[in-house]
Amino acid sequence: MPILKPPAIPPSEITPPAVWARRRELLKAALALAGTGAGLTLGRPLPAASPTGAGALEPIANVRPSPQSTDEPPTSRDDIVGYNNFYEFGTEKEDPAATAHTLKPRPWAVVVDGACEAPGQIGIEDVLTGFTQEERIYRLRCVEAWAMVVPWVGFPLGDLLKRFKPTSQARYVAFETLLDPKQMPGQRRAVLEWPYREGLRIDEAMHPLTILATGLYGQVLPNQNGAPLRLVVPWKYGFKSIKSIVRISFTATQPVNTWNQMQPDEYGFYANVNPDVDHPRWSQARHRMIGDGLFAPKRKTLMFNGYADQVASLYAGMDLRQSF
Ligand code: MTE
């Protein structure tokens, strides 16, 4: 277990995510107006402020399209790789693209342990070659009311979990990000309790929509998006999508998740996209699609991020206002 220290910066002093989002949109709008003349870019997608990461990354071989994908147009790659939440590399949305080059995603291994018959570890090369890589175009909806459509490359998390033979004690799955302040300089500041941690109930983890993503837009993941391996749970808020995973543990009891530990009134364990349950500081009923531009109307948020047909049954009988 890591030794947890109280945060040096109280949560109240962390810039609320909605404020960053607005700051960035204003910056983009200002740049667009200054560069091209008023009115020319309004209502159209604005260029990304930071195209960092757009260079060639290793392509992933033999990626097959997945029938699980949405047919919505994907968000531009520049926006996906230039607008990130990854506190290990800073608390501003532009920070990870500028600073995550210090992360070394190879060699990399993920330990799988806890309530299973075959605990062990798996290297990233075996992850890339040992599972059928699919392109899955999923929505990512963040709690502070912004969203993207991302052409992830990945495979069902359940395919990996089954290899380690979970026992009947395995009711939950816990995930941990790398803890290494040399590679992740943001960990030198106690803005969160490091390492970043997440958890799912075992049926959520085994659901075919839940993937481990190894890439996006056909290439290996850029560091700022969680290289070399991150979780994607498309019906849940973005903070469940833990990045740069080094440990996956089967547990009998509900694991800690970082944002719940930091601000339990605001971020629950379940964190399902739910337009009917507002965050204490903003509405969850509508969201802005990154790339739409500051003046485009917000879109209506769908229950379970539009995946209700596939996942609503997981929560039958639960009060989602309590389990938010
Ligand atoms: N994982 C780690 N390790 N650290 C983080 O700060 N932020 C989460 C999630 N995973 C985060 C993380 C949040 S709040 C969001 S919205 C998504 O990553 C953002 O993923 P993206 O940058 O690929 O869009």
Side-chain angles (χ1 to χ4, degrees):
M1 283 290 286
I3 299 163
L4 301 178
K5 296 189 198 116
I9 302 178
S12 58
E13 287 184 20
I14 298 171
T15 314
V19 176
W20 317 322
R22 181 152 174 78
R23 196 187 287 162
R24 190 211 189 225
E25 293 296 341
L26 285 169
L27 180 69
K28 283 173 83 175
L31 286 173
L33 290 172
T36 60
L40 280 183
T41 57
L42 298 186
R44 291 200 284 129
L46 298 169
S50 163
T52 314
L57 284 163
E58 192 187 325
I60 300 181
N62 304 321
V63 177
R64 71 171 190 203
S66 168
Q68 304 276 8
S69 294
T70 161
D71 50 15
E72 290 166 70
T75 302
S76 81
R77 188 181 184 283
D78 279 354
D79 275 335
I80 295 170
V81 306
Y83 189 71
N84 303 101
N85 269 344
F86 200 172
Y87 274 34
E88 287 83 343
F89 296 102
T91 54
E92 299 284 332
K93 294 276 190 286
E94 287 77 15
D95 289 344
T99 66
H101 54 86
T102 52
L103 175 66
K104 294 187 186 64
R106 307 281 174 90
W108 192 276
V110 181
V111 170
V112 183
D113 61 6
C116 59
E117 286 170 26
Q121 65 172 37
I122 183 163
I124 187 62
E125 308 295 345
D126 293 334
V127 169
L128 282 162
T129 54
F131 297 90
T132 306
Q133 303 285 328
E134 295 179 335
E135 184 183 62
R136 293 185 169 219
I137 306 179
Y138 282 166
R139 302 174 201 106
L140 177 75
R141 164 81 169 79
C142 284
V143 75
E144 61 269 42
W146 56 272
M148 296 182 181
V149 175
V150 184
W152 302 106
V153 177
F155 59 91
L157 168 66
D159 289 358
L160 181 135
L161 295 183
K162 280 176 211 154
R163 292 206 185 174
F164 294 87
K165 301 193 168 118
T167 66
S168 58
Q169 296 294 302
R171 295 184 56 228
Y172 297 89
V173 185
F175 304 85
E176 258 178 47
T177 292
L178 176 71
L179 177 62
D180 182 351
K182 283 209 185 84
Q183 290 189 57
M184 298 182 148
Q187 291 176 336
R188 293 179 197 151
R189 298 175 63 213
V191 287
L192 297 178
E193 297 194 3
W194 309 112
Y196 192 99
R197 288 184 282 176
E198 253 313 328
L200 294 173
R201 217 172 51 193
I202 189 90
D203 55 348
E204 297 176 325
M206 292 291 186
H207 193 282
L209 281 180
T210 302
I211 59 168
L212 281 176
T214 52
L216 56 85
Y217 270 109
Q219 297 174 327
V220 298
L221 278 179
N223 286 357
Q224 60 268 35
N225 293 91
L229 193 70
R230 59 90 62 82
L231 188 66
V232 177
V233 194
W235 70 96
K236 292 183 174 284
Y237 288 110
F239 69 87
K240 300 297 285 187
S241 294
I242 182 171
K243 297 175 168 180
S244 306
I245 297 167
V246 291
R247 173 172 241 118
I248 301 177
S249 308
F250 297 102
T251 65
T253 52
Q254 185 175 299
V256 167
N257 61 312
T258 295
W259 279 104
N260 179 251
Q261 185 180 37
M262 296 296 294
Q263 285 160 269
D265 298 341
E266 303 194 10
Y267 307 106
F269 175 82
Y270 281 94
N272 291 308
V273 175
N274 187 341
D276 303 330
V277 179
D278 282 342
H279 182 279
R281 288 186 277 136
W282 53 78
S283 163
Q284 297 288 14
R286 308 186 86 76
H287 63 271
R288 176 164 282 120
M289 193 59 84
I290 297 299
D292 275 358
L294 184 61
F295 304 107
K298 283 190 172 180
R299 304 189 190 199
K300 201 166 173 281
T301 299
L302 301 175
M303 187 64 194
F304 296 115
N305 210 17
Y307 298 95
D309 286 355
Q310 286 130 294
V311 299
S313 60
L314 293 173
Y315 308 102
M318 280 176 71
D319 179 349
L320 295 180
R321 287 187 178 276
Q322 293 289 322
S323 303
F324 61 92

